[in-house]
Amino acid sequence: GQNIDQPTEMTATEGAIVQINCTYQTSGFNGLFWYQQHAGEAPTFLSYNVLDGLEEKGRFSSFLSRSKGYSYLLLKELQMKDSASYLCAVLDSNYQLIWGAGTKLIIKP
Amino acid sequence: NAGVTQTPKFQVLKTGQSMTLQCAQDMNHEYMSWYRQDPGMGLRLIHYSVGAGITDQGEVPNGYNVSRLKKQNFLLGLESAAPSQTSVYFCASSYRPESTDTQYFGPGTRLTVL
Protein backbone atom coordinates (compact mmCIF):
# COMPACT_ATOMS: atom_id res chain seq x y z
CA GLY A 1 0.00 0.00 0.00
CA GLN A 2 0.92 3.63 -0.21
CA ASN A 3 1.90 5.40 2.96
CA ILE A 4 3.08 8.80 4.06
CA ASP A 5 4.23 9.39 7.63
CA GLN A 6 4.58 12.69 9.44
CA PRO A 7 4.71 13.51 13.16
CA THR A 8 1.26 14.36 14.46
CA GLU A 9 2.26 17.43 16.41
CA MET A 10 5.34 19.54 17.11
CA THR A 11 5.98 22.51 19.37
CA ALA A 12 8.57 25.22 18.81
CA THR A 13 9.45 28.65 20.13
CA GLU A 14 8.98 31.93 18.32
CA GLY A 15 12.20 32.93 16.56
CA ALA A 16 13.57 29.38 16.53
CA ILE A 17 14.01 26.81 13.74
CA VAL A 18 11.90 23.69 13.29
CA GLN A 19 12.22 20.72 10.94
CA ILE A 20 9.13 18.72 9.98
CA ASN A 21 9.92 15.29 8.54
CA CYS A 22 7.99 13.26 6.02
CA THR A 23 8.71 9.69 4.91
CA TYR A 24 6.87 8.01 2.09
CA GLN A 25 6.31 4.68 0.41
CA THR A 26 4.37 5.10 -2.81
CA SER A 27 3.88 3.38 -6.15
CA GLY A 28 6.11 5.61 -8.21
CA PHE A 29 7.19 9.16 -7.58
CA ASN A 30 6.57 12.30 -9.56
CA GLY A 31 7.27 14.89 -6.93
CA LEU A 32 6.60 15.87 -3.36
CA PHE A 33 4.58 18.84 -2.17
CA TRP A 34 4.31 20.71 1.11
CA TYR A 35 1.15 22.62 1.92
CA GLN A 36 0.28 24.83 4.87
CA GLN A 37 -3.18 24.71 6.41
CA HIS A 38 -4.32 27.10 9.10
CA ALA A 39 -7.12 25.86 11.33
CA GLY A 40 -10.48 26.06 9.59
CA GLU A 41 -8.96 27.12 6.30
CA ALA A 42 -7.95 25.53 3.00
CA PRO A 43 -4.46 24.19 2.31
CA THR A 44 -2.12 26.55 0.49
CA PHE A 45 0.95 25.59 -1.52
CA LEU A 46 4.40 25.97 0.00
CA SER A 47 6.88 23.98 -2.06
CA TYR A 48 7.48 21.29 -4.64
CA ASN A 49 10.52 18.98 -4.91
CA VAL A 50 11.14 16.45 -7.65
CA LEU A 51 14.96 16.26 -7.60
CA ASP A 52 17.16 15.47 -4.62
CA GLY A 53 18.40 18.41 -2.66
CA LEU A 54 17.33 21.53 -0.89
CA GLU A 55 14.94 24.16 -2.24
CA GLU A 56 14.98 27.45 -0.38
CA LYS A 57 12.18 29.97 -0.44
CA GLY A 58 12.54 32.76 2.07
CA ARG A 59 12.14 31.45 5.62
CA PHE A 60 10.98 28.07 4.33
CA SER A 61 13.17 25.35 2.80
CA SER A 62 12.27 21.86 1.63
CA PHE A 63 14.62 18.92 1.21
CA LEU A 64 14.18 15.68 -0.71
CA SER A 65 16.03 12.37 -0.79
CA ARG A 66 14.34 10.04 -3.26
CA SER A 67 16.58 7.08 -2.41
CA LYS A 68 15.53 7.31 1.23
CA GLY A 69 11.89 8.19 0.59
CA TYR A 70 12.37 11.20 2.83
CA SER A 71 11.66 14.89 2.86
CA TYR A 72 11.70 17.65 5.41
CA LEU A 73 10.33 21.16 5.65
CA LEU A 74 12.55 23.61 7.50
CA LEU A 75 11.03 26.74 8.95
CA LYS A 76 13.39 29.46 10.18
CA GLU A 77 12.78 32.54 12.34
CA LEU A 78 9.46 31.16 13.45
CA GLN A 79 6.58 33.57 13.79
CA MET A 80 3.29 33.08 15.61
CA LYS A 81 1.49 33.08 12.25
CA ASP A 82 3.39 29.89 11.35
CA SER A 83 1.15 28.00 13.76
CA ALA A 84 -0.66 25.70 11.36
CA SER A 85 -0.74 22.17 10.05
CA TYR A 86 1.84 21.21 7.43
CA LEU A 87 0.79 18.62 4.89
CA CYS A 88 3.17 16.43 2.92
CA ALA A 89 1.86 14.96 -0.35
CA VAL A 90 3.45 12.74 -2.98
CA LEU A 91 2.49 12.60 -6.64
CA ASP A 92 2.47 8.90 -7.50
CA SER A 93 3.01 7.10 -10.80
CA ASN A 94 -0.60 7.82 -11.83
CA TYR A 95 -0.12 11.50 -11.05
CA GLN A 96 -2.48 11.23 -8.10
CA LEU A 97 -1.63 13.05 -4.91
CA ILE A 98 -1.22 10.88 -1.82
CA TRP A 99 -1.51 12.95 1.34
CA GLY A 100 -0.02 12.57 4.78
CA ALA A 101 -2.21 13.28 7.80
CA GLY A 102 -0.36 16.51 8.49
CA THR A 103 1.80 17.86 11.29
CA LYS A 104 0.25 20.39 13.64
CA LEU A 105 2.89 22.97 14.54
CA ILE A 106 2.36 24.96 17.73
CA ILE A 107 4.46 28.08 18.19
CA LYS A 108 4.98 29.36 21.72
CA PRO A 109 6.12 32.91 22.58
CA ASN B 1 -10.38 36.61 -9.66
CA ALA B 2 -12.38 34.74 -7.05
CA GLY B 3 -10.21 31.60 -7.38
CA VAL B 4 -12.04 28.51 -6.18
CA THR B 5 -15.38 28.98 -4.47
CA GLN B 6 -17.56 26.43 -2.71
CA THR B 7 -21.15 26.47 -1.57
CA PRO B 8 -22.47 25.94 0.99
CA LYS B 9 -19.88 26.56 3.71
CA PHE B 10 -21.81 24.61 6.32
CA GLN B 11 -24.53 21.99 6.01
CA VAL B 12 -26.37 19.69 8.38
CA LEU B 13 -28.24 16.71 6.93
CA LYS B 14 -30.27 13.89 8.32
CA THR B 15 -29.40 10.33 7.39
CA GLY B 16 -30.86 9.47 4.02
CA GLN B 17 -31.14 13.02 2.72
CA SER B 18 -29.46 14.05 -0.50
CA MET B 19 -27.59 17.19 -1.40
CA THR B 20 -25.16 18.69 -3.90
CA LEU B 21 -21.97 20.53 -3.05
CA GLN B 22 -20.99 23.12 -5.59
CA CYS B 23 -17.54 24.17 -6.71
CA ALA B 24 -16.58 26.86 -9.20
CA GLN B 25 -13.23 28.15 -10.45
CA ASP B 26 -12.46 31.12 -12.66
CA MET B 27 -8.85 30.25 -13.54
CA ASN B 28 -9.61 28.21 -16.64
CA HIS B 29 -8.18 25.09 -14.99
CA GLU B 30 -8.66 21.74 -16.69
CA TYR B 31 -8.30 19.59 -13.60
CA MET B 32 -10.72 19.67 -10.69
CA SER B 33 -11.11 17.35 -7.76
CA TRP B 34 -13.06 16.71 -4.59
CA TYR B 35 -11.39 15.70 -1.33
CA ARG B 36 -12.63 14.91 2.11
CA GLN B 37 -10.59 15.68 5.20
CA ASP B 38 -11.15 13.82 8.46
CA PRO B 39 -9.32 14.28 11.78
CA GLY B 40 -6.08 12.31 11.94
CA MET B 41 -6.22 11.38 8.27
CA GLY B 42 -4.79 12.87 5.15
CA LEU B 43 -6.88 14.42 2.43
CA ARG B 44 -8.60 11.63 0.51
CA LEU B 45 -9.57 11.98 -3.12
CA ILE B 46 -13.22 11.25 -3.84
CA HIS B 47 -13.59 12.01 -7.55
CA TYR B 48 -11.72 14.04 -10.08
CA SER B 49 -12.14 15.47 -13.55
CA VAL B 50 -9.58 16.21 -16.25
CA GLY B 51 -11.99 18.26 -18.34
CA ALA B 52 -15.62 19.06 -18.98
CA GLY B 53 -17.65 15.88 -19.29
CA ILE B 54 -14.81 13.67 -18.04
CA THR B 55 -14.83 12.34 -14.49
CA ASP B 56 -13.20 9.45 -12.69
CA GLN B 57 -13.13 7.85 -9.27
CA GLY B 58 -10.56 8.57 -6.65
CA GLU B 59 -9.67 6.68 -3.50
CA VAL B 60 -13.06 6.89 -1.71
CA PRO B 61 -15.85 7.27 -4.31
CA ASN B 62 -18.59 5.16 -2.71
CA GLY B 63 -21.69 7.14 -1.80
CA TYR B 64 -20.77 10.09 -4.01
CA ASN B 65 -21.41 11.10 -7.58
CA VAL B 66 -20.03 14.01 -9.58
CA SER B 67 -20.90 16.11 -12.55
CA ARG B 68 -18.84 18.47 -14.67
CA LEU B 69 -20.97 19.86 -17.47
CA LYS B 70 -18.95 23.06 -17.75
CA LYS B 71 -15.21 23.52 -17.36
CA GLN B 72 -15.59 25.95 -14.49
CA ASN B 73 -18.01 23.92 -12.34
CA PHE B 74 -17.64 20.62 -10.52
CA LEU B 75 -20.54 19.27 -8.47
CA LEU B 76 -20.39 16.62 -5.76
CA GLY B 77 -23.60 14.77 -4.95
CA LEU B 78 -24.54 12.72 -1.95
CA GLU B 79 -27.45 10.50 -2.91
CA SER B 80 -28.33 9.18 0.54
CA ALA B 81 -26.25 10.77 3.27
CA ALA B 82 -24.77 8.62 6.04
CA PRO B 83 -23.10 9.67 9.33
CA SER B 84 -19.80 8.32 7.94
CA GLN B 85 -19.91 11.14 5.41
CA THR B 86 -19.60 13.76 8.12
CA SER B 87 -16.42 15.54 7.08
CA VAL B 88 -14.90 18.67 5.62
CA TYR B 89 -15.03 18.65 1.84
CA PHE B 90 -12.53 20.56 -0.27
CA CYS B 91 -12.66 21.24 -3.96
CA ALA B 92 -9.34 21.86 -5.71
CA SER B 93 -8.24 22.77 -9.21
CA SER B 94 -5.03 22.99 -11.20
CA TYR B 95 -3.97 23.50 -14.79
CA ARG B 96 -3.06 19.83 -15.30
CA PRO B 97 -2.71 16.96 -12.83
CA GLU B 98 0.78 16.20 -14.07
CA SER B 99 1.89 19.77 -13.66
CA THR B 100 4.04 21.02 -10.86
CA ASP B 101 1.68 23.92 -10.62
CA THR B 102 0.01 24.33 -7.31
CA GLN B 103 -3.42 22.97 -6.55
CA TYR B 104 -5.80 25.74 -5.54
CA PHE B 105 -8.27 24.80 -2.86
CA GLY B 106 -11.68 26.19 -2.11
CA PRO B 107 -12.54 27.25 1.46
CA GLY B 108 -14.27 23.97 2.26
CA THR B 109 -17.74 22.74 3.12
CA ARG B 110 -18.31 21.45 6.64
CA LEU B 111 -20.92 18.72 6.46
CA THR B 112 -22.56 17.03 9.42
CA VAL B 113 -24.84 14.05 8.89
CA LEU B 114 -27.03 13.21 11.87
Side-chain angles (χ1 to χ4, degrees), chain B residues 34-90:
Chain B
W34 278 103
Y35 289 95
R36 60 177 290 172
Q37 186 175 41
D38 301 294
M41 302 182 71
L43 288 161
R44 291 184 291 169
L45 183 65
I46 304 171
H47 285 279
Y48 65 97
S49 169
V50 297
I54 307 170
T55 63
D56 206 346
Q57 296 181 350
E59 180 186 356
V60 289
N62 292 342
Y64 306 95
N65 57 71
V66 288
S67 170
R68 193 170 180 198
L69 298 179
K70 296 182 179 180
K71 188 177 185 179
Q72 62 267 36
N73 300 113
F74 195 30
L75 308 181
L76 179 70
L78 283 73
E79 297 169 338
S80 178
S84 60
Q85 294 178 303
T86 292
S87 187
V88 180
Y89 291 84
F90 287 103

Side-chain angles (χ1 to χ4, degrees), chain A residues 67-83:
Chain A
S67 62
K68 294 183 179 178
Y70 168 70
S71 172
Y72 67 73
L73 181 69
L74 190 71
L75 290 73
K76 303 176 184 176
E77 302 170 11
L78 286 170
Q79 302 175 8
M80 296 303 295
K81 67 178 182 180
D82 297 330
S83 292

Side-chain angles (χ1 to χ4, degrees), chain A residues 30 33 35 37 39-45 48 50 87 91 95-102, chain B residues 31 35 37 40-45 48 90 97-103 105-108 110:
Chain A
N30 283 298
F33 293 82
Y35 279 77
Q37 185 177 25
E41 298 183 7
T44 55
F45 171 80
Y48 171 77
V50 66
L87 313 180
L91 203 58
Y95 292 98
Q96 296 295 342
L97 276 172
I98 310 300
W99 295 82
Chain B
Y31 182 85
Y35 289 95
Q37 186 175 41
M41 302 182 71
L43 288 161
R44 291 184 291 169
L45 183 65
Y48 65 97
F90 287 103
E98 303 90 340
S99 172
T100 60
D101 286 346
T102 184
Q103 290 222 16
F105 284 83
R110 284 144 186 85

Side-chain angles (χ1 to χ4, degrees), chain A residues 10-59:
Chain A
M10 299 181 69
T11 301
T13 304
E14 189 177 15
I17 299 173
V18 70
Q19 177 176 311
I20 302 174
N21 296 327
C22 171
T23 59
Y24 62 89
Q25 289 179 313
T26 56
S27 56
F29 179 85
N30 283 298
L32 185 144
F33 293 82
W34 284 97
Y35 279 77
Q36 181 189 58
Q37 185 177 25
H38 285 100
E41 298 183 7
T44 55
F45 171 80
L46 286 178
S47 68
Y48 171 77
N49 295 69
V50 66
L51 299 176
D52 289 349
L54 186 69
E55 295 276 347
E56 297 185 78
K57 192 184 293 185
R59 293 189 300 114

